[in-house]
DNA sequence: GATAGGAGTAATTAACCACTCACACTTTGC
DNA sequence: GCAAAGTGTGAGTGGTTAATTACTCCTATC
């Protein structure tokens, strides 16, 4: 069993688990731009550096792949929140929420991670995707509430602000030089 | 020239302008569910009660059609805001914003109108669509700011809350019986 | 009442896409 | 060193889709 754990550098082929991880990581970029319906499995395969046929060895179908990408993004987002909460300078709700907001702003650098979750929201007419994105929001809201101890109203406001960030990221509002864009971007850190 | 204005009831065929209007109105429902990439021109045609080929007589291509739908939704939203502002009981920023929020909540009954604008945001990687949705947000923000006279911060907060509503509508959060859903739905009227 | 132009469609096309299959190569266990 | 299991692909397949074409029918005008 120990020999099973051989590092990939000692092998010429990757293990399926490693490949799955690569596919999930690289598929974020392809799904972020054109969403579930607009992204082809060939694009996903190319981004991961494998054949399109092998995508179907790693995931049963496109929908399962997309759901796995949603969960991957959801986990990474909560990791970022956990890091931020651990490093927060105080433990009162305001300070913790501030730290989480900072972490969210840093996630925007990626762009793609947040956009995938927004794309998942837009593809929620598919039951399996709706379940996955609901579960993602459920964990996120519950985590923010528990770690910050903030009021329901403050948590709601935090989430709403996050959705505003997502939208501004999707339309690249930071490239627009106009009053409306400045109003919406006010106080939103973007590195 | 006057005879050109013959009412449609006196004709067996519609004028192209009337058909275009019908297509835009009914296409909202189809684009709302699965977005730009996930909706076929055949579905749009069926919803409008015309052949798929005729969609291409009325609009040069699918992208132009979707852009026209975005603009149609954008106009209808601003009409709803204008109605609400005219009926507001007071003229101070808080009262007007309250009235606009009420109008937005009533738009959610439609569901589809708001969802189309969210779908457009998600399809913003297409330059023409990005331009259209940016223009829509520009007009909306400018209108809300001008009619309410509210501060930049209040306008931003109003828009963020709108995006929260859109997301909750997309995932049908009102059908979820869980704490996280109640937190996000608190204070959000849905008729 | 003929005719020009607009309304409308059935049928088709070329490209594309999700998904499959037969097959080849690599690694592991014994 | 060999068989079983695992990694990986080229070459499809059947169905779908955006866009076109060639055509019919309707309506206004003179």
């Amino acid at each position: 069993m120990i020999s099973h754990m051989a590092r990939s550098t000692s092998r010429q082929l990757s293990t399926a688990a490693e490949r799955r991880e690569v596919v999930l990581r690289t598929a974020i970029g392809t799904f972020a731009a054109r969403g579930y319906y607009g992204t082809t499995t060939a694009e996903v395969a190319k981004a991961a550096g494998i054949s399109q046929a092998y995508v179907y060895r790693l995931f049963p179908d496109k929908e399962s792949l997309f759901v796995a990408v949603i969960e991957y993004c959801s986990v990474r987002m909560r990791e970022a929140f956990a890091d931020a909460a651990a490093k927060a300078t105080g433990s009162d709700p305001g300070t913790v929420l501030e730290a989480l907001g900072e972490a969210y702003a840093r996630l925007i650098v990626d762009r793609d991670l947040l956009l995938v979750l927004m794309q998942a929201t837009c593809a929620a007419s598919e039951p399996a995707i709706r379940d996955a994105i609901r579960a993602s929001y459920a964990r996120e809201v519950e985590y923010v509430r528990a770690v910050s101890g903030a009021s329901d109203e403050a948590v709601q406001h935090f989430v709403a602000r996050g959705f505003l960030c997502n939208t501004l990221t999707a339309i690249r509002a930071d490239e627009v030089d106009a009053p409306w864009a400045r109003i919406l971007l006010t106080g939103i850190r973007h590195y």
Side-chain angles (χ1 to χ4, degrees), chain A residues 3 5 57 88 108 133 152 170:
Chain A
S3 59
M5 307 291 280
R57 291 271 157 138
I108 295 182
I133 191 67
D152 287 1

Side-chain angles (χ1 to χ4, degrees), chain A residues 19-29 59 65 68-69 72:
Chain A
R19 281 291 194 204
R20 248 183 285 267
E21 160 81 18
V22 169
V23 171
L24 292 180
R25 196 170 56 242
T26 58
I28 292 176
F59 300 92
L65 164 64
V69 170
Y72 186 86

Side-chain angles (χ1 to χ4, degrees), chain A residues 19-179:
Chain A
R19 281 291 194 204
R20 248 183 285 267
E21 160 81 18
V22 169
V23 171
L24 292 180
R25 196 170 56 242
T26 58
I28 292 176
T30 57
F31 279 119
R34 289 199 299 285
Y36 174 60
Y37 299 108
T39 302
T40 68
T41 56
E43 287 168 350
V44 170
K46 190 175 180 186
I50 62 175
S51 68
Q52 190 237 11
Y54 197 43
V55 172
Y56 282 85
R57 291 271 157 138
L58 299 172
F59 300 92
D61 53 26
K62 188 185 172 184
E63 189 178 76
S64 304
L65 164 64
F66 189 61
V67 165
V69 170
I70 293 170
E71 270 149 20
Y72 186 86
C73 289
S74 179
V75 168
R76 280 195 45 185
M77 188 163 79
R78 258 189 338 288
E79 281 171 2
F81 282 165
D83 281 359
K87 288 182 189 129
T89 52
S91 63
D92 63 295
T95 308
V96 176
L97 274 190
E98 179 69 24
L100 295 183
E102 174 80 12
Y104 201 86
R106 237 183 276 280
L107 279 180
I108 295 182
V109 178
D110 259 6
R111 272 183 54 91
D112 293 341
L113 199 144
L114 277 341
L115 289 183
V116 163
L117 294 176
M118 192 179 179
Q119 294 286 6
T121 304
C122 279
S125 63
E126 301 288 340
I129 296 174
R130 182 165 62 237
D131 290 347
I133 191 67
R134 276 178 177 173
S136 173
Y137 287 142
R139 287 186 300 249
E140 184 198 342
V141 170
E142 189 47 42
Y143 183 83
V144 169
R145 199 195 58 77
V147 80
S148 72
S151 68
D152 287 1
E153 195 190 348
V155 171
Q156 187 193 47
H157 188 257
F158 177 82
V159 173
R161 201 175 167 82
F163 291 153
L164 173 64
C165 286
N166 293 352
T167 303
L168 296 178
T169 302
I171 67 171
R172 298 181 180 271
D174 57 304
E175 295 174 3
V176 178
D177 182 28

